[in-house]
Amino acid sequence: MKEPDPEEMKTGINGIKLIDHFEGCYLDSYLCPAKVPTIGIGTTRYESGAEVKLGEHITIERAYELLEFDLTRFEFYIKKNIHFPLLQHQFDALISLVYNIGIGNFLKSSVLRLVLRDPFDKHIPKKFMMWKFGGDGSKNGIDDDDDGIIDEVGEKQRLAGLIRRRKAEAHLYVTGELKFFEDEQI
C-alpha cells in the first residue's frame, strides 16, 4: 500500500459532513456568535477576499461552492504546516477545527503543537476541547480567566454547540468514526 502524499490530501466525506452538520446552511447572511457576518456553510469571506455583509442572499448551490473554496483554503494551510501524512480522519477533524477557529488560532494552538510532535499523542483530544468558548462575551459569560468575576466584559461563553463539535472532532480524529453527540447533556 502506497503511503498518502500530504500534498494530495483533500477533505473527506466525514469532514464535510461534520462541518455541514455544525455550521448549518444559511442562505441569508447572519451574525455568528462571534458577531461576524456569515453566510452559507460558515463562510465569512468570498473568493475575492471581500467580507460577507449582512443583508446578502445566496443559493444553495452557491453555499456549496463557497464551502469548497473555504475547504481548499484551509487544506492549503494545514498542508503547509504539517509536512507528513496524516490519516484521512485526522485530516478531516483538523479541517473542521480550522474551519471553525480560523487558521491564525490553529497555528498558535496546542492541538497543532501536539500533532506536529506526534499525531497519535493521547492528549490531542483534550486539546480540541480547549476551543469550546465562543460569542462576544457580552452575556452569559463565565469566569474563563479565573479572576473570580463572572460576566466580565470580554469573557467568552462556553457554548454547548462548540462542546459537541469539539467532542465530535476529537472522536473523529482518534477513532475515524463520525458521531455528533446530540443526545448528551453538556
Side-chain angles (χ1 to χ4, degrees):
M1 180 193 258
K2 181 183 167 205
E3 189 137 328
D5 180 350
E7 292 301 315
E8 294 176 9
M9 294 229 44
K10 298 280 296 160
T11 307
I13 190 68
N14 283 340
I16 293 169
K17 285 180 180 179
L18 186 62
I19 291 166
D20 195 24
H21 177 81
F22 284 105
E23 294 290 340
C25 183
Y26 300 90
L27 303 182
D28 294 309
S29 56
Y30 66 96
L31 283 179
C32 74
K35 305 292 186 218
V36 176
T38 305
I39 203 164
I41 305 164
T43 296
T44 59
R45 192 175 294 278
Y46 296 105
E47 297 94 335
S48 67
E51 294 177 351
V52 170
K53 293 183 179 31
L54 293 180
E56 295 178 334
H57 178 82
I58 59 173
T59 65
I60 189 81
E61 293 81 13
R62 182 71 173 129
Y64 281 93
E65 287 173 7
L66 291 169
L67 171 65
E68 184 61 36
F69 168 72
D70 285 337
L71 289 174
T72 301
R73 234 173 6 112
F74 294 129
E75 289 163 354
F76 169 80
Y77 283 109
I78 286 193
K79 292 185 257 190
K80 181 179 175 186
N81 289 281
I82 301 174
H83 303 285
F84 52 84
L86 293 169
L87 299 175
Q88 183 66 55
H89 60 274
Q90 293 171 325
F91 187 79
D92 289 347
L94 292 175
I95 288 289
S96 179
L97 179 66
V98 172
Y99 201 95
N100 185 244
I101 69 171
I103 194 65
N105 285 325
F106 179 70
L107 293 176
K108 298 182 286 189
S109 76
S110 53
V111 174
L112 178 59
R113 280 194 303 278
L114 284 183
V115 168
L116 289 174
R117 194 172 338 141
D118 175 5
F120 298 97
D121 188 305
K122 66 181 181 173
H123 298 100
I124 291 173
K126 290 179 192 166
K127 300 303 181 182
F128 271 89
M129 296 308 298
M130 294 177 71
W131 293 93
K132 62 184 177 260
F133 298 101
D136 66 355
S138 62
K139 61 182 183 196
N140 301 323
I142 61 161
D143 185 17
D144 62 358
D145 59 3
D146 294 321
D147 65 356
I149 301 169
I150 305 296
D151 292 334
E152 181 178 304
V153 173
E155 287 192 295
K156 301 282 186 176
Q157 304 172 52
R158 183 179 289 127
L159 299 179
L162 285 181
I163 294 170
R164 285 187 188 92
R165 183 174 185 154
R166 297 304 169 248
K167 286 175 87 171
E169 290 164 347
H171 184 77
L172 179 61
Y173 186 91
V174 171
T175 69
E177 298 172 357
L178 192 57
K179 183 177 178 182
F180 296 122
F181 299 93
E182 296 299 320
D183 297 332
E184 292 189 18
Q185 293 286 36
I186 301 294

